Amino acid sequence: MQRYTDQYIGGAWRPSLASASVTVVDPATELALASVPAGGAPDVDAAVGAARAAARSWAATTREQRLVPLTRLRDGLAARQQEIAETITAELGCPIGFATAVQAAVPLAVADSYLGILAGYAFEERVGNSTVLAEPAGVVAAITPWNYPLHQIVAKVVPALAAGCTVVLKPAEDTPLVARLFARIVDEAGFPAGVFNLVTGLGPVAGAALAEHPQVDLVSFTGSTAVGREIAAAAGRGIKRVALELGGKSANVVLPGADLARAVNVNVGNVFNNSGQTCSAWTRLLVHEEQYEEAVALAAEAAGKYVPGDPASPRTRIGPVVSARQRERVRGYITGALAEGARLVVGGADAPEGLDQGFYVRPTVLADVTPEMTVAQEEVFGPVLSILRYRDEEHALEIANGTAYGLAGGVWAGDDASAAAFARRMDTGQVDINGGRFNPLAPFGGFKGSGVGRELGRHGLEEFLQPKSLQF
Ligand code: ADP
């Protein structure tokens, strides 16, 4: 087992000022993979100090100067795709196929997209007798979760650096190894010292110290709603800007006339990929009452293709969930849903057969779920799909909009125009029309309890900029 004792601060790997450590566990075997420092306030203070010291000169660089190390960072991500995927498979339990195609490839696409956006962005605009400058927001605290551990890092750090901000990253305690790999890639890219810093540690210790630090100008957080609320409160007290990507309970609405089989198949993959640990997953499938049983049968058949197994095998489609705590949480939601009257179609709260070790959960499909049930309101963050029935379009809309969240969604109809008309009435930040593809240039973020601010594309860059007006 590898024991790391350093943090990346001020352009170098330095011994952590903390003596405690965090053990990283392989969710498929429950064996320890490595340990990293459990940094505290002193490490955070050193990292923020380094970021502050570098802020003015990095902010004064031209886009051409920033594009040089950012392009090398992008090339580093491209060169290390396999190592990235293997690292994420080891510490998250994500199947290697999905880790390669999504966990490693999407951050590369996102980094690539920001090179183009930075190259073409208008940092100066003429408005009447004013010139409006887009200046960097300053020192950014990036606090990220474990479910798409590199994507969430890249979606914050790359636009922040492109904007001319300096960054301190506090990655999730469950997945710090890919964060360390990212720091090595940044180091090799040749950014000036202090522009990027990494502090590993526990959320309530290192994360809280970072979010509250008086020298941080902007906190960009992805994670649970409960922690997001704390971070927003701390940011409010310090008059810091904040961006929050929180939970979701997204609805996939299949209108009569849609390709039902395709809609259900895509939905099952959408929920079971990454073991359901996707904030934007369509965890509620809404089907018209006349097609309801047909949809349930289709979902049962599609779910049969997801047999939990070793994430290192290229044949495995679903691995374990990230931790014992997460497994217990997901099982609790399944048991609770059955107690509230849901029908178990496939799966269940018991451990999958033959898998006594590892944090495995049975891929589960629940039918007869009604909108007020806990499983239809709260984020499960596991491989659990709930199927709800609706009477007519108004009813479907009421159910779709009837949660505290509004992150993503899907609509399927006989034609794109009808699906889009329905999507316009949904209180949510992103909707896929008849299975529309992921677009790294499209803003991603939540309505209502799903968050504040947007990531990706031009909107994602602008989170890290602030306007300054000069009058002539
Ligand atoms: P999850 O439930 O997905 O683990 P969390 O919201 O707990 O999500 O964690 C997301 C990120 O927030 C992690 O990096 C975690 O360490 C950090 N975090 C957790 N608690 C706090 C806190 N009180 N203050 C700041 N960061 C925190």
Side-chain angles (χ1 to χ4, degrees):
M1 178 178 115
Q2 192 73 41
R3 285 176 209 282
Y4 299 104
T5 55
D6 48 3
Q7 309 274 24
Y8 186 74
I9 296 175
W13 291 96
R14 301 176 181 206
S16 172
L17 301 170
S19 48
S21 63
V22 180
T23 303
V24 188
V25 172
D26 178 344
T29 61
E30 305 185 31
L31 299 174
L33 283 170
S35 70
V36 298
D43 279 344
V44 167
D45 209 43
V48 174
R52 174 53 68 196
R56 199 171 282 282
S57 57
W58 183 244
T61 53
T62 63
R63 89 178 78 212
E64 289 74 22
Q65 287 168 327
R66 294 200 291 282
L67 274 167
V68 174
L70 281 165
T71 303
R72 285 199 291 255
L73 166 54
R74 178 246 168 245
D75 293 346
L77 291 171
R80 303 233 195 180
Q81 287 286 288
Q82 190 180 345
E83 190 180 353
I84 289 167
E86 284 168 2
T87 304
I88 294 176
T89 291
E91 64 183 348
L92 177 62
C94 175
I96 189 69
F98 191 78
T100 305
V102 175
Q103 296 276 12
V106 170
L108 175 58
V110 169
D112 233 354
S113 75
Y114 276 116
L115 295 180
I117 291 166
L118 176 57
Y121 193 74
F123 284 94
E124 259 187 63
E125 185 194 6
R126 194 74 189 163
V127 181
N129 64 311
S130 303
T131 293
V132 181
L133 311 175
E135 296 204 344
V139 174
V140 170
I143 302 177
T144 55
W146 43 262
N147 59 327
Y148 288 83
L150 184 62
H151 168 63
Q152 284 133 343
I153 289 170
V154 166
K156 296 184 190 310
V157 175
V158 170
L161 298 179
C165 295
T166 59
V167 179
V168 178
L169 168 66
K170 206 302 281 176
E173 39 273 65
D174 291 304
T175 54
L177 300 180
V178 74
R180 290 181 59 94
L181 176 52
F182 176 77
R184 291 209 298 277
I185 295 171
V186 173
D187 185 54
E188 288 161 11
F191 288 88
V195 167
F196 170 80
N197 308 273
L198 169 75
V199 176
T200 56
L202 300 174
V205 184
L210 183 57
E212 282 162 15
H213 200 289
Q215 286 297 319
V216 165
D217 297 299
L218 184 157
V219 185
S220 179
F221 168 80
T222 300
S224 62
T225 301
V227 175
R229 196 171 270 126
E230 301 269 315
I231 286 181
R237 283 192 296 275
I239 322 286
K240 300 182 199 315
R241 286 171 64 187
V242 70
L244 306 170
E245 296 292 344
L246 308 176
K249 193 75 218 178
S250 297
N252 182 32
V253 182
V254 187
L255 297 173
D259 181 342
L260 182 68
R262 185 155 168 257
V264 172
N265 270 293
V266 171
N267 200 150
V268 166
N270 175 296
V271 171
F272 290 167
N273 284 331
N274 214 38
S275 292
Q277 303 166 126
T278 304
C279 48
S280 56
W282 302 337
T283 50
R284 297 181 298 147
L285 170 60
L286 275 54
V287 184
H288 190 271
E289 54 193 5
E290 281 175 13
Q291 295 180 301
Y292 188 79
E293 289 306 332
E294 190 186 347
V296 169
L298 286 164
E301 194 186 325
K305 296 184 200 127
Y306 287 80
V307 180
D310 177 7
S313 161
R315 285 186 304 280
T316 299
R317 283 181 153 194
I318 186 165
V321 296
V322 70
S323 62
R325 183 178 73 116
Q326 196 60 23
R327 176 184 56 191
E328 293 323 305
R329 199 184 125 85
V330 177
R331 287 179 169 175
Y333 275 112
I334 297 171
T335 310
L338 300 180
E340 285 185 62
R343 172 177 25 134
L344 186 65
V345 180
V346 293
D350 304 337
E353 274 159 48
L355 291 169
D356 307 328
Q357 240 172 8
F359 308 129
Y360 288 95
V361 178
R362 285 175 189 257
T364 297
V365 176
L366 300 170
D368 301 342
V369 174
T370 52
E372 71 290 347
M373 287 182 188
T374 310
V375 76
Q377 290 293 330
E378 294 185 9
E379 185 170 52
V380 175
F381 234 58
V384 180
L385 171 64
S386 296
I387 313 183
L388 292 88
R389 48 164 74 73
Y390 69 82
R391 292 184 300 275
D392 54 33
E393 257 190 48
E394 289 309 308
H395 189 213
L397 188 69
E398 185 190 317
I399 298 172
N401 287 339
T403 75
Y405 294 112
L407 188 54
V411 185
W412 304 73
D415 61 279
D416 284 355
S418 322
F422 187 95
R424 282 175 188 271
R425 300 168 73 202
M426 291 169 80
D427 302 332
T428 193
Q430 196 167 89
V431 187
D432 296 346
I433 305 297
N434 282 324
R437 277 178 304 118
F438 172 72
N439 175 5
L441 294 172
F444 176 84
F447 281 32
K448 302 192 286 184
S450 288
V452 175
R454 292 294 179 270
E455 294 195 309
L456 305 183
R458 177 175 61 77
H459 298 79
L461 178 70
E462 288 173 348
E463 286 292 330
F464 299 103
L465 293 169
Q466 57 186 342
K468 175 190 282 181
S469 305
L470 308 180
Q471 282 64 245
F472 293 88

